[in-house]
Amino acid sequence: MPFSGSGDPQISLLYVDDDPALLEIGKAFLEQSGDIRVTTAPDAKDAIRLIGDQHFDVIVSDYQMPDMDGIAFLKHLRQSGNTIPFIIFTGKGREEVVIEALNCGADFYLQKGGGTITLYTELVHFIRQSIQMRRIQQDYDEQQQCIHDLQNANDMIQSVGPDGCFFYVNKRWLDTLGYQETDVPNLTLFDIIHEESLQHCME
């Protein structure tokens, strides 16, 4: 089961690079962590085919590749609505490449070089962080959708504390009872309830 599934910590990663030796080394180091399962692709076109066939939690891609470079690959995914976390992992360290990658929706940019163990340790950190960031964003989006649904529901919805103060009322509640949103902080449930129901509501 993938990382974004039902609580399973296994991370399904797609690693794209046109250098077979680097793919082999990278796969070996990443899978040493124990919670990352790596699928490799030699170019962006093959990666796109794999993405169409199976689920991945994150993509790690080289920049300089034949036919379609890493940024063109990233643009293709984002333009098609795919928001999967994407890390550019390349030997190219020009500032303009970094800026373009981040502007196109890359989550991180990591330059190859230095000690292998240190490099892949940092990459694993970026992988986990990018997934965590995306999960936080998804949770936020879901909460915003819930708020939108409540606010625009056809039913009157209210949330009230034991003291009768309102925590929340939706638009239908305001429209039906003739109040403005600015009126709510100065109201309690006991101000609007019918006197015949007041004792019951207080209880």
Side-chain angles (χ1 to χ4, degrees):
M1 295 293 291
F3 182 86
S4 57
S6 57
D8 194 322
Q10 186 76 49
I11 296 171
S12 179
L13 182 145
L14 178 60
Y15 182 23
V16 188
D17 200 303
D18 62 331
D19 187 329
L22 289 178
L23 283 180
E24 184 177 350
I25 293 170
K27 178 179 173 67
F29 269 93
L30 292 172
E31 290 188 340
Q32 279 182 3
S33 66
D35 64 345
I36 299 176
R37 184 181 70 252
V38 179
T39 300
T40 61
D43 55 53
K45 289 184 177 179
D46 195 51
I48 291 170
R49 178 186 61 78
L50 287 168
I51 291 168
D53 293 339
Q54 57 186 291
H55 169 86
F56 295 101
D57 296 299
V58 61
I59 296 172
V60 174
S61 175
D62 188 24
Y63 165 65
Q64 194 168 23
M65 297 182 293
D67 298 325
M68 180 184 292
D69 65 32
I71 292 179
F73 175 32
L74 171 61
K75 287 180 178 179
H76 172 84
L77 293 178
R78 296 298 185 251
Q79 288 169 1
S80 64
N82 191 316
T83 61
I84 184 172
F86 195 104
I87 300 169
I88 294 284
F89 183 49
T90 179
K92 292 290 183 181
R94 298 195 310 272
E95 182 178 355
E96 61 270 21
V97 174
V98 178
I99 292 172
E100 184 178 9
L102 297 176
N103 285 341
C104 290
D107 293 77
F108 290 102
Y109 183 103
L110 182 60
Q111 187 173 352
K112 299 172 184 175
T116 302
I117 294 176
T118 301
L119 179 64
Y120 282 98
T121 298
E122 187 173 7
L123 179 57
V124 168
H125 172 71
F126 281 169
I127 289 166
R128 293 190 177 123
Q129 191 171 354
S130 66
I131 292 175
Q132 183 63 27
M133 288 168 55
R134 194 54 52 92
R135 292 185 65 168
I136 290 171
Q137 181 64 49
Q138 289 173 345
D139 289 344
Y140 173 79
D141 291 343
E142 289 173 3
Q143 290 173 0
Q144 291 300 107
Q145 184 62 50
C146 286
I147 292 172
H148 177 271
D149 293 344
L150 286 172
Q151 187 67 10
N152 294 281
N154 290 324
D155 296 321
M156 294 170 59
I157 298 174
Q158 63 184 21
S159 176
V160 186
D163 59 356
C165 292
F166 292 101
F167 295 136
Y168 173 82
V169 297
N170 71 342
K171 186 175 184 298
R172 176 54 62 92
W173 189 99
L174 293 170
D175 293 344
T176 302
L177 298 181
Y179 289 104
Q180 300 295 320
E181 193 169 344
T182 53
D183 297 328
V184 177
N186 300 316
L187 290 173
T188 71
L189 181 65
F190 311 121
D191 295 323
I192 66 168
I193 209 73
H194 193 279
E195 60 181 13
E196 292 181 359
S197 303
L198 184 58
Q199 186 61 40
H200 169 70
C201 287
M202 289 182 70
E203 292 172 356

